[in-house]
Amino acid sequence: MVGGLKGELKRKARLMTLVGGLIMVISLFVFAIRWGSTRPQEEQRKLIRAAALCADPSDLFNPASRMCKLENRVAFAAMAMQTWAQCNFDAAGAKILQSNMDESGSFWYSYEDRKAVAAFYSSCHSTCATSSDTYDRRLGVCVVQESEASQWLRGCLRLGSGCLIRQGRGVACDGSQSKIQARGHSWQKLFFTPGNVMTGAPSEASRLLAEQRQGSARAYYYPETGKHVEEFYRTCHFLCAKGDVVREAPLLMCEVRNQAALDQLSDVRRACTGDVPDWILASGSSWYYSFSHQRLVQVFYDSCVQ
């Protein structure tokens, strides 16, 4: 009886020891998580701007550790394997950064290695939506150069969905297409001008864009949104054949301006191998056709000798 009681007490003591140990492990685990989450915030408060000590003016310096934190937007995107940014990962600076990644995913380097890291930064470039668009390294943004989209955005960017055909400068774009809207990237949020910088834009780009002439006709976008911009571009097209213009009177139509085509239409000379399409209509001394026939008219023009 006494032996059985002692055995029961030993079992209870072992159980209490196990429970106590488990509670201690859980407490240490919770502490580690909280400490790990607050440490980067505490470190962040200690960081300062020190352009002379770091590889890039945007990088931050920790006086206590004498380490710089990577803040260069394109370089960080490349390190994070974002497809819109490319850098030379064979560079010594890349290896330095890769070997100094902390638990929060930030990259660090000694101020003594700033030249190597700066060389790595200089190898970085960004990819825009199309080969026609250009990347402005100084601003860190892409400049819209696609002919249809740039022409339409000049007249419609600030007008939003209220843009009319005449303001679209002979181009139509449909930013309401489901593919773009479903991803939460309406065309109004994709593009901006110097006088309409996106909220949350990188501070350097915001400052430099604000310095430019407010009436600039150029439109910009951030390379991170390149895929969505490319989708938007696919919705853009000229309303009229090349060289023709939109007329709103007597009807909303395209007016023929192609001289070789006009010569044939006026029986001056047969400058085109194709026949005059039936849907090119005369009104006074001018010739017109509807927007829906733009592609067919262009085929006719392509057969003309200028």
Side-chain angles (χ1 to χ4, degrees), residues 13-184:
R14 283 198 295 269
L15 181 61
M16 291 297 292
T17 301
L18 287 172
V19 172
L22 182 61
I23 291 173
M24 183 175 291
V25 169
I26 293 173
S27 299
L28 288 171
F29 181 69
V30 171
F31 172 78
I33 291 175
R34 288 182 177 176
W35 180 80
S37 63
T38 57
R39 188 184 177 192
Q41 295 174 4
E42 292 172 358
E43 291 292 324
Q44 187 72 22
R45 286 195 289 269
K46 298 175 184 176
L47 302 181
I48 62 172
R49 298 276 181 191
L53 294 173
C54 296
D56 189 89
S58 62
D59 290 353
L60 298 173
F61 181 69
N62 186 329
S65 64
R66 296 189 176 184
M67 298 284 284
C68 292
K69 181 184 178 186
L70 185 156
E71 291 289 330
N72 181 287
R73 196 165 58 96
V74 179
F76 184 85
M79 296 292 288
M81 300 302 178
Q82 294 293 309
T83 56
W84 60 269
Q86 287 84 38
C87 299
N88 177 19
F89 285 102
D90 292 328
K95 293 176 172 53
I96 291 170
L97 291 166
Q98 288 169 336
S99 63
N100 287 285
M101 185 178 78
D102 64 19
E103 68 276 3
S104 68
S106 297
F107 298 94
W108 299 81
Y109 59 93
S110 168
Y111 76 98
E112 296 176 339
D113 294 322
R114 60 185 178 277
K115 288 186 178 180
V117 174
F120 168 65
Y121 287 175
S122 66
S123 76
C124 298
H125 64 278
S126 179
T127 302
C128 296
T130 67
S131 58
S132 298
D133 291 351
T134 57
Y135 179 68
D136 190 318
R137 184 184 291 271
R138 179 170 174 257
L139 297 177
V141 296
C142 290
V143 184
V144 176
Q145 302 282 16
E146 281 289 328
S147 55
E148 293 98 330
S150 62
Q151 195 161 316
W152 188 82
L153 287 167
R154 282 189 199 120
C156 295
L157 181 56
R158 301 189 184 194
L159 298 174
S161 57
C163 183
L164 302 176
I165 285 178
R166 67 174 175 273
Q167 293 158 334
R169 300 170 181 246
V171 177
C173 295
D174 183 10
S176 65
Q177 285 207 358
S178 57
K179 263 189 179 181
I180 301 171
Q181 295 286 15
R183 293 178 174 87

Side-chain angles (χ1 to χ4, degrees), residues 129-130 174-175 177-183 185 190-191 225-236:
T130 67
D174 183 10
Q177 285 207 358
S178 57
K179 263 189 179 181
I180 301 171
Q181 295 286 15
R183 293 178 174 87
H185 289 275
L190 289 176
F191 303 99
T225 63
K227 286 186 177 179
H228 305 296
V229 170
E230 186 179 8
E231 288 177 0
F232 172 77
Y233 283 174
R234 293 195 192 106
T235 73
C236 299

